[in-house]
Amino acid sequence: MLPPMTIVLPDAAHADAVPLGLERARLEKDELDMAPEEAAGLLWLDALATPLWLLRPDGLTVWLNGAARALIGLEHDAPAAAVRVSLSSRFTAALQQAAAGRTVEARVTIHAPLTLPLEVDLRLVPAPHPSGLILAEAPADSGARQEMMRLNEQLIALSYAYPDIRFELLRDGTILDFAAASPGDLNVPAERFLAHRVQEVLPDPAAGMLAAALGRLNDGQTVIGLDFSLPPPSGSAGAGSAGAGSVGDTKHFEARLVALPDSDRVMCSIRNVTERVQAESAARRAHHLLSDAIECITEGFVLYDAQDRLVLCNGRYRELFSANTDLITPGASFEEVLRGGVERGVYRVPDGDLEGWVERRIAQHRGAGPPMEMELHDGRWIRIEEWRTYEGGTVGIRADITDLKAREAELSAARDEAELANQRKSDYVHHLSHELRTPLNAVLGFAQIIHDEMMGPNNPRYREYAGQIAAAGVYMLDLINNLLDLARIEAGRMDLHEEACNLSLLVDLTFGMMQPRACEAAVALCMEIPEDLPSLHGDASQIRQMLTNLIGNAIKFAPPKDGRVRVCAELTEDGGIALTVADNGIGMRPEQIPVALDAFGQVHGHNPGHNQGRDRVAERGSGLGLPLTRALIALHGGSFHIDSRVGAGTTVCLTFPPCRVGGAARSS
């Protein structure tokens, strides 16, 4: 503060040389009601660099020097009375204290025409002359403060150029000013924004969030950013149908609060980002939809980028390569995943060609070649299909084709079996034609000889030829009957005429029919059946046919002099009946047994050692006896078993189930 000084007015001779400051003093001295020498003293105060004011106790400015005019931007010819000082309660008390003779410091707001309000710190002391006035002195850095205020005001002005909603607030939230292209974005009428606190005007949740942010600014933070959403007004269209929280009605905002330095003011900008949030939400929904669709694919899906790094895959892909799950992570290269799987034994790699296999697989992957099939170490088969994307990445599908490969193997086996069956059919037809043509040629030949009496009339040999014709006819009849029986059984059309059968009686009847052939071949027939054997419930004619086929085969291949055929029957452990026909004939090797069980299967020809002079046609056999017997026992629910050794004979066992055994033995 400057010390009091005495100022001497210049004499009249120098009146024309009075400078501008003195001229202003003269203009205002009538208002100040001061002596000329006192008014002339203001000339020296006007020349000081420190801004000075003379104020009345009511705050009215009565004089200010050039530095004060420059500080607030007041024109040089504007009257001092145009400058006003804010009369807050605090400043009024400060003026009264200064008028009472005390030195007081206070912050005031200076208002002047054509300039923005200016906040300055003043030191107030009683003016020595004239009495009753107060001398106000601004600090030495008031110019810097003014520049800062100017820059702050420019910043405020620039903020109006942005589309954001801008608020100028006090630190308690009071709205000093606002600018908005669309004030209605916040669902608040524009007239409510002035002279209210922002936390009282905006709806929740924005109000609470802004109040909390202002509290943090008051605690020392300088910049705070936050996001909030506002539902539509309760009475607006769409609020009742879609709901207040629907994406189409809810508005989304970003707010930023900045505390201005050396000021109690806060700049708050609010940007409506609803379109961006909706676009991001739509993008997220699309991404989730795509991810869900990929996850629902039953095949494994994988995507690699242009650098061959894993981008994403679905759960099925991880399931197919479960041993590699920890390696299947975004960012991992295809080669890393592949080699890791090879090291862990995921793939079935040919021995000695591991590196070559890996290189071929990588080349196939990078070239996105044709689909390939790969076998895993656990036996599963994977089909791999890959395509290149427009950006140079690779998208792949992995399908588990293990079941398909199994069906393919089954179809291949079925095809081979069908081809074998077709071949067997051809052989069957060939054998059938041969079996029928041979006796038929005999019939035709002998009949022609007899008809033409080629050996003279009433030749005794004609009788023998007639017997040959009859034997051939019987053979063909048996062959045809056996074929028809097999066909009916295979077609499921063979009917059983079931009754209680006495096995001893059935075997005895069969022996009686086969005895002439056995005597001619010098083969002994023997029956071993317990008298208390229960009756067998079945078709008697088919049981006799089975016995006839087995006994006939046994006689045919028995030794010529000491041949034996033994028929036995006994109860099994589970209550069934086992009927066995055994011979001591030439027997068969194990690999010959399936041939003997096949239709027209001929393991041996006729026995040359004991058929001298016998009917070759009758001895030949059709090869249908064993297959037909096996089919007939299966029709009764039983089982067929054959055991044979070369030179030790053949044993055939027919086992009837317990359900066909019961009651005392009765005549069939």
Side-chain angles (χ1 to χ4, degrees), residues 316-610:
R316 179 55 177 161
Y317 181 87
R318 297 179 183 275
E319 180 183 341
L320 289 174
F321 303 97
S322 56
N324 254 16
T325 302
D326 58 322
L327 300 179
I328 305 173
T329 56
S333 70
F334 174 80
E335 185 171 352
E336 291 174 353
V337 176
L338 179 66
R339 290 188 179 276
V342 171
E343 292 174 359
R344 298 181 182 186
V346 175
Y347 310 99
R348 190 179 296 276
V349 181
D351 294 337
D353 190 30
L354 188 149
E355 192 61 33
W357 185 90
V358 170
E359 291 179 358
R360 288 192 299 272
R361 177 67 188 96
I362 293 175
Q364 192 276 342
H365 166 76
R366 293 176 178 171
M372 63 177 297
E373 296 175 356
M374 179 183 299
E375 185 179 7
L376 302 184
H377 194 271
D378 58 5
R380 291 179 301 157
W381 282 86
I382 304 296
R383 179 180 174 86
I384 299 174
E385 296 184 76
E386 294 176 315
W387 302 270
R388 303 292 287 182
T389 66
Y390 289 111
E391 296 181 352
T394 304
V395 60
I397 295 293
R398 307 291 191 268
D400 189 339
I401 59 171
T402 304
D403 293 341
L404 184 62
K405 295 290 286 187
R407 288 194 295 271
E408 182 181 322
E410 292 174 359
L411 290 175
S412 178
R415 183 182 65 250
D416 294 342
E417 184 177 351
E419 292 177 354
L420 179 60
N422 188 52
Q423 182 63 38
R424 293 173 60 188
K425 177 183 176 183
S426 299
D427 295 341
Y428 187 88
V429 173
H430 172 74
H431 285 299
L432 178 61
S433 63
H434 177 73
E435 294 296 331
L436 290 175
R437 187 169 54 248
T438 300
L440 185 58
N441 287 336
V443 168
L444 294 176
F446 288 127
Q448 188 68 36
I449 292 174
I450 294 174
H451 179 271
D452 294 341
E453 296 183 342
M454 296 178 62
M455 303 182 72
N458 301 319
N459 191 302
R461 298 193 65 180
Y462 291 158
R463 187 179 185 87
E464 179 186 351
Y465 293 163
Q468 294 285 353
I469 292 174
V474 171
Y475 172 79
M476 287 191 294
L477 180 61
D478 290 342
L479 176 62
I480 292 172
N481 286 336
N482 289 339
L483 287 173
L484 291 176
D485 287 344
L486 278 175
R488 284 198 297 270
I489 293 173
E490 291 180 357
R493 297 180 180 179
M494 176 68 80
D495 296 326
L496 293 179
H497 302 284
E498 301 181 62
E499 56 183 326
C501 304
N502 187 322
L503 279 180
S504 297
L505 181 58
L506 292 179
V507 174
D508 189 60
L509 292 174
T510 305
F511 275 1
M513 183 181 65
M514 304 296 295
Q515 191 63 45
R517 292 180 57 187
C519 291
E520 183 180 0
V523 175
L525 302 179
C526 176
M527 178 176 62
E528 298 179 5
I529 298 179
E531 293 182 0
D532 59 349
L533 186 70
S535 61
L536 178 64
H537 197 73
D539 190 315
S541 63
Q542 292 184 9
I543 295 174
R544 285 192 62 184
Q545 186 174 4
M546 288 186 278
L547 287 169
T548 300
N549 292 339
L550 296 179
I551 295 172
N553 278 345
I555 293 173
K556 184 188 307 182
F557 297 107
K561 294 183 179 180
D562 58 350
R564 294 186 309 276
V565 176
R566 184 167 59 92
V567 179
C568 303
E570 60 181 353
L571 288 173
T572 62
E573 293 182 357
D574 61 354
I577 291 180
L579 180 62
T580 304
V581 178
D583 65 68
N584 61 342
I586 58 178
M588 295 179 290
R589 296 188 302 273
E591 65 271 15
Q592 292 177 316
I593 294 177
V595 178
L597 294 176
D598 196 8
F600 297 109
Q602 297 283 346
V603 176
H604 305 293
H606 62 278
N607 191 340
H610 68 277

Side-chain angles (χ1 to χ4, degrees), residues 117-132:
L118 174 64
E119 290 185 355
V120 296
D121 293 324
L122 296 180
R123 179 178 296 172
L124 306 176
V125 296
H129 299 285
S131 61

Side-chain angles (χ1 to χ4, degrees), residues 32 38 89 200 226 243 272 301 319 340 377 447 471 536 595 666:
L32 296 177
E38 294 175 340
S89 58
E200 298 171 350
L226 53 90
N272 190 335
F301 177 90
E319 180 183 341
H377 194 271
L536 178 64
V595 178
R666 294 180 299 175

Side-chain angles (χ1 to χ4, degrees), residues 1-5 45 48-55 61 63-65 67-68 71-72 85 91 95 98 102-108 110 118-128 133-143 145:
M1 184 64 191
L2 295 175
M5 61 182 66
L45 297 179
L48 295 176
T50 301
L52 297 173
W53 285 265
L54 281 178
L55 306 175
T61 302
W63 176 85
L64 68 170
N65 67 355
L71 175 62
I72 63 175
V85 179
F91 184 61
L95 289 175
R102 298 177 57 188
T103 300
V104 181
E105 293 183 356
R107 168 166 286 195
V108 299
I110 307 298
L118 174 64
E119 290 185 355
V120 296
D121 293 324
L122 296 180
R123 179 178 296 172
L124 306 176
V125 296
L133 297 181
I134 299 169
L135 180 63
E137 174 191 3
D141 60 348
S142 294
R145 289 176 178 269

Side-chain angles (χ1 to χ4, degrees), residues 154-166 179-181 271:
Q154 288 181 353
L155 178 61
I156 293 173
L158 288 174
S159 68
Y160 282 88
Y162 288 91
D164 301 351
I165 302 173
R166 186 200 62 78
R271 176 170 296 181

